[in-house]
Amino acid sequence: MTDTTEKAAATAAGAVAQAAPEPAPPPRTARLWRGLTPWLFLIAPLALLITFTYAPIANMIAYSFTDWDGVSPELHYIGGQNYTEIFTREDLFQVFFVSGYYLAASVVQIVAALYFATILSFNVRFRNFFKGVLFFPYLINGVAIGFVFLYFFQDGGTLDAVLALFGYHADHAWLGTPASANVSLAGVSVWRYMGLNFVLFLGAIQSIPGELYEAAELDGAGRWHQFRYIIAPGIRPVLSLTVILSISGSLSVFEIPYIMTGGATGTETFVIQTIKLAFQFNKTGLASAAAVVLLLIILAVTWVQRRLVPDSADNRMDLG
Amino acid sequence: MTRRALARTLVYLSLILAAVVVLLPLGVVVLTSLKSSQEMADDSGALTLPDNLLNFHNYVTAFQDGRMLSAFGNTAFILLFAIGGTVLIGSMTAYAIDRFTFRFKKLVVALFLIAALVPGVTTQVATFQIVNSFGLFDTRWAPIVLYMGTDIVSIYIFLQFVRSIPISLDESARLDGANTFTIYWKIILPLLKPAIATVVIVKGITVYNDFYIPFLYMPSEDLGVISTSLFRFRGPFGAHWETISAGAVLVILPTLIVFLFLQRFIYNGFMRGATK
């Protein structure tokens, strides 16, 4: 696709170059070419964007009103039946409660990230080491993390061995009951994603001019006051961005529970369920409706956040 | 102990605790990967040291039986094309948006922005049908086009850099007879090197670690990338934690090396990418 664009751009470029030396090029063609040039650069990006983002959204909405199985040429329009099913069938609806665990984990994650970003923005020994250690999990492959923590929660695995060091012999299958399995998995997601929030906060804190702290210190402000009146307002846009990323992240958890439990013992999340509906049970229509619901929730969350924190919305619109 | 000293001690304690929480699960997996299946069966506990610290037998098994070589090959292939494509697509879009005024420009920008709000996981059911209809399902091109097509982060990073390149450069090149495409290729693109480095790193790590897209679009075993190949360890190696651990370490190691060498760029890249 890129290849053809380049060719097209090159031909266009050739045409312009040929036209240039002529004393008086026909103004209409020249204007046409000038109007066309930006589009030559945008053909490939727009084609990809429409084919792989907008067309799927449109199709998905259309599928969601049908009983299509994803394979057969036959599909019937069944109105809002899929949507009714999602909100009334208890087994389908319960995946939302699983998101609650991850939502709670996000709170822990943001608080921890904020704490470590604050203390590491002051002078601390081995600062770069701690920074690296806290961030590194974010870069690790999800499947590898899944295996590392499967072993961690294994009977006689890492966690049990550590607890035994302290004289506590846990006779507890960590991934055995829905509540404990979900808490364990949500803990893994804190382990994995805390570093990203931490680095974002750290960057925001470091962009606050240092004189502010000095002035505050002269005024006798302690660390807590510095945090409360300088750091917290300074990182507000990043904080609000993190909150929204956490909410949409909590709703669309997939990798870790899929790899570690396959969605068993009540750990099935929205995305796991959708994937199973679509690709194992061939219920493309129902899966599409579920995906539309998820998309709408996420868009609603984003919208609310933009209303609440308008300054970060400005940052986003910066693209224009 | 004064109050200040106490606070300092608590700060360091919390940092050390956090470091232990991060490093312990990883460290234990490294230990496990060096144990023999005999030692694993003895059940001496996860924290015991392996008898032989240089026992790389499990790595050989994981690498050969886990088909890691072909996995690294497939990943490299996808990385090459997906990143090359992302750089071209992203820089072209940024150039067009920043340097031209044209009709529907606002609409185009809005299309890219709104797409950034739609999480990829929600649309896969329908995306799958489209990829399938192009005959790309179960080929390495499916992830490549998907990674290329939806990357608003790189467009944003490029845009920031294109903006900082003075327009007078374009104008003087134009006076020398360069056309728009030459300006993009010979002037803008070379000046975008720092942005390209950022995009290559951020995108590279994302693609290397992605599980969802290759898992859905490339089910055949020959097309395993490192995440899907590692995922398949669950089957044949079942409860052989020493082999699974070795596989996990093999997958993490390249990331660790890249991270240690490029730390500063990686932090900056993710900061720039996420705070868009």
Side-chain angles (χ1 to χ4, degrees), chain A residues 33-68:
Chain A
W33 272 121
R34 212 176 314 136
L36 222 56
T37 322
W39 295 105
L40 293 174
F41 285 94
L42 288 170
I43 289 174
L46 278 176
L48 284 168
L49 182 73
I50 290 167
T51 320
F52 295 108
T53 305
Y54 287 100
I57 295 176
N59 286 349
M60 190 170 82
I61 295 171
Y63 296 156
S64 75
F65 295 106
T66 69
D67 65 351
W68 195 35

Side-chain angles (χ1 to χ4, degrees), chain A:
Chain A
M1 211 165 270
T2 344
D3 203 44
T4 45
T5 326
E6 269 171 40
K7 269 184 216 143
T11 350
V16 173
Q18 276 171 9
E22 278 177 41
R28 256 190 72 205
T29 14
R31 218 181 319 136
L32 189 70
W33 272 121
R34 212 176 314 136
L36 222 56
T37 322
W39 295 105
L40 293 174
F41 285 94
L42 288 170
I43 289 174
L46 278 176
L48 284 168
L49 182 73
I50 290 167
T51 320
F52 295 108
T53 305
Y54 287 100
I57 295 176
N59 286 349
M60 190 170 82
I61 295 171
Y63 296 156
S64 75
F65 295 106
T66 69
D67 65 351
W68 195 35
D69 61 3
V71 200
S72 83
E74 253 181 75
L75 77 179
H76 306 101
Y77 176 79
I78 55 165
Q81 211 172 303
N82 288 326
Y83 290 95
T84 332
E85 205 172 328
I86 288 167
F87 288 106
T88 51
R89 256 175 64 185
E90 212 176 303
D91 55 318
L92 289 183
F93 194 73
Q94 68 107 20
V95 289
F96 282 108
F97 298 111
V98 174
S99 309
Y101 288 98
Y102 292 94
L103 217 49
S106 318
V107 176
V108 175
Q109 181 179 316
I110 290 175
V111 171
L114 207 49
Y115 168 76
F116 287 115
T118 308
I119 60 176
L120 284 177
S121 67
F122 295 115
N123 209 4
V124 171
R125 232 181 272 213
F126 306 115
R127 203 170 131 202
N128 285 331
F129 168 76
F130 286 120
K131 206 171 134 182
V133 167
L134 290 178
F135 182 61
F136 185 61
Y138 180 71
L139 302 177
I140 304 179
N141 188 288
V143 182
I145 293 183
F147 285 160
V148 165
F149 279 94
L150 263 181
Y151 190 61
F152 185 86
F153 291 117
Q154 181 91 341
D155 234 359
T158 315
L159 184 55
D160 285 349
V162 170
L163 290 176
L165 277 187
F166 294 98
Y168 178 75
H169 291 275
D171 191 19
H172 183 78
W174 298 105
L175 300 175
T177 63
S180 120
N182 276 318
V183 171
S184 305
L185 293 180
V188 176
S189 94
V190 174
W191 188 89
R192 185 180 185 192
Y193 292 112
M194 201 275 281
L196 179 65
N197 294 345
F198 158 74
V199 161
L200 296 183
F201 291 153
L202 196 64
I205 293 176
Q206 277 167 354
S207 66
I208 298 172
E211 302 94 66
L212 280 182
Y213 299 112
E214 286 163 27
E217 228 152 281
L218 284 180
D219 288 344
R223 280 286 144 88
W224 168 249
H225 283 102
Q226 289 181 23
F227 175 79
R228 174 76 187 74
Y229 295 106
I230 300 175
I231 296 179
I235 62 169
R236 217 172 71 123
V238 179
L239 196 61
S240 99
L241 175 80
T242 309
V243 169
I244 170 162
L245 287 179
S246 304
I247 298 176
S248 62
S250 311
L251 289 162
S252 42
V253 177
F254 168 71
E255 264 187 24
I256 292 298
Y258 190 83
I259 291 159
M260 289 179 65
T261 63
T265 34
T267 57
E268 193 164 87
T269 65
F270 205 99
V271 178
I272 297 181
Q273 185 180 66
T274 310
I275 295 280
K276 280 189 175 167
L277 284 177
F279 301 108
Q280 278 177 25
F281 305 120
N282 287 335
K283 294 197 169 185
T284 306
L286 187 59
S288 300
V292 171
V293 170
L294 177 58
L295 185 58
L296 287 178
I297 296 175
I298 289 175
L299 290 180
V301 169
T302 315
W303 184 78
V304 168
Q305 180 263 356
R306 284 176 147 210
R307 298 302 330 250
L308 291 180
V309 195
D311 52 348
S312 99
D314 290 345
N315 287 341
R316 276 166 166 262
M317 290 312 285
D318 203 30
L319 198 66

